[in-house]
Amino acid sequence: MRPAFSLRHLTFPAVVAGFVAVLVGYTSSAAIIFQAAGAAGATAAQTGGWLSMLGLAMGVTSIGLSIYYRAPVLTAWSTPGAALLVTSLPGIPMPETIGVFIFASGLIFLCGVTGLFARLMNHIPQAISAAMLAGILLRFGLDAFASLQPDFTLTASMCLAYLLARRFLPRYAIVLTLLVGLAVAAIKGEIHLSQQPLTFAVPAFIAPHFSWSSLLGIGVPFFIVTMASQNAPGIATLKAAGYPVPVSPLMSWTGLASLLLSPFGGFSVCIAAITAAICMGPDVHPAPQRRYWGAVCAGFFYLLAGLFGGAIGQLFSALPPALIHTLAGLALLGTIAGSLQRALAEDKQRDAAVITFLITASGLSLLGIGAAFWGLVGGIVAHLVFCLPRR
């Protein structure tokens, strides 16, 4: 039974968690979206329209799904998919590019309707899901402290603020860390605001064109990468955090949103993993059933970002990288610790979980698919081998 919806459960830490999630999402991968749009031959206005459509789509789906399921269901664009598009789209006409988007989104929607993806995810042990999540987030935790080398003053100030806040005001630790980081960065003159005004980019409709060569050569790999490297970790993140959200409806709604918005540049709407984990930590709310407000707040920030299109990416890029890395790593500390605890809790699954964690954290890429998928595969294979009966 889902808890009742109430505005009284909204907290200021949830608002900050939503802002941090969107901030990390845009600053970490918005540049890849610009590159993908450029590879497709999009103009500056069309690129802004793509980002506007993506922001609006992610905002609506994050708010709607999180409120309906009372779980922090945060959506995002497919960063691995966008990286694949950067290398695959040069030379492909824009109508064929839109046809690829529609084709891949249709396959995702089909997976949701038929329940194929849900049946696959239900056979993954929780320890392996938790280990994969820990491996995904490890880089962010390491980057937080690696930032001490290029910008010691800013990073050390934020780490000290986090420790003191965790000791005396634990619910506002990330809030105070963000404020200290902004203050130190402003004093050091490291915030460089662009002179370009924030404007609304109107998404333009582009009639699709379908060709077998582009559908098979780009559409199928794009679908596989999106499902394996984005949706699978996203579902595993929800599962590892203890949110039993039905998988098929999530695939259906996100696939349908992408399918409808693809002609306007909304090339993918997927289940988020890394940014969603920011909205699942104990800093958002002490009660796990109230943490969905973090994703709801992120959805409203997505809508705001969508209204201003590409200019919002420049606003986020005004902040120093050390601030973003440190804030993301510190915000994910609780989730990393909880994932490792769940991954190593059971003796029988511990070895398989460690294998999953190491492969995922290694960052390897095979056949164009990222480490999260191969960590999942390696962990499942190890789990099956270790469960073989002995003579």
Side-chain angles (χ1 to χ4, degrees), residues 32-342:
I32 300 178
I33 306 301
F34 280 103
Q35 295 178 48
T43 64
Q46 287 175 327
T47 302
W50 283 28
L51 284 170
S52 291
M53 188 55 65
L54 288 169
L56 295 175
M58 294 184 301
V60 171
T61 51
S62 295
I63 294 172
L65 293 174
S66 296
I67 291 178
Y68 183 79
Y69 290 110
R70 304 293 194 272
V73 183
L74 191 65
T75 58
W77 56 57
S78 174
T79 301
L84 182 145
L85 295 176
V86 172
T87 59
S88 303
L89 287 181
I92 303 298
M94 181 62 75
E96 284 192 26
T97 298
I98 299 300
V100 168
F101 295 166
I102 293 175
F103 174 72
S105 300
L107 290 179
I108 295 174
F109 177 69
L110 186 63
C111 282
V113 172
T114 59
L116 293 175
F117 191 66
R119 287 196 290 271
L120 176 63
M121 294 301 296
N122 286 335
H123 291 289
I124 300 175
Q126 184 178 3
I128 293 178
S129 298
M132 184 185 69
L133 176 58
I136 293 172
L137 302 182
L138 178 64
R139 177 175 61 86
F140 291 85
L142 296 176
D143 287 345
F145 299 102
S147 299
L148 285 166
Q149 183 173 353
D151 200 332
F152 178 82
T153 303
L154 175 61
T155 304
S157 300
M158 294 178 68
C159 290
L160 180 61
Y162 177 81
L163 292 176
L164 293 175
R166 285 291 296 172
R167 174 63 181 85
F168 298 104
L169 295 170
R171 289 192 62 185
Y172 300 95
I174 297 301
V175 180
L176 297 175
T177 302
L178 173 61
L179 293 177
V180 169
L182 292 174
V184 174
I187 293 173
K188 296 183 64 180
E190 295 181 351
I191 299 178
H192 306 288
L193 294 175
S194 173
Q195 299 300 319
Q196 180 177 345
L198 299 179
T199 57
F200 177 75
V202 180
F205 176 83
I206 300 175
H209 176 73
F210 302 95
S211 71
W212 285 110
S213 59
S214 59
L215 294 183
L216 296 178
I218 304 175
V220 172
F222 179 67
F223 161 73
I224 294 174
V225 167
T226 298
M227 294 298 287
S229 300
Q230 187 68 53
N231 279 326
I235 296 298
T237 298
L238 285 166
K239 182 179 177 182
Y243 295 100
V245 180
V247 177
S248 293
L250 296 186
M251 293 297 99
S252 299
W253 283 112
T254 54
L256 181 61
S258 300
L259 187 63
L260 295 176
L261 302 180
S262 289
F264 300 92
F267 65 92
S268 70
V269 179
C270 309
I271 306 301
I274 297 169
T275 50
I278 297 175
C279 300
M280 297 176 184
D283 294 332
V284 178
H285 199 285
Q289 66 270 23
R290 308 301 182 200
R291 293 173 189 168
Y292 69 91
W293 270 108
V296 173
C297 293
F300 281 105
F301 285 114
Y302 272 143
L303 293 178
L304 182 62
L307 290 176
F308 297 105
I312 199 70
Q314 295 183 347
L315 178 62
F316 286 141
S317 64
L319 301 177
L323 188 150
I324 304 300
H325 293 160
T326 305
L327 187 65
L330 295 177
L332 290 168
L333 280 182
T335 305
I336 295 173
S339 300
L340 288 174
Q341 182 182 16
R342 286 187 293 270

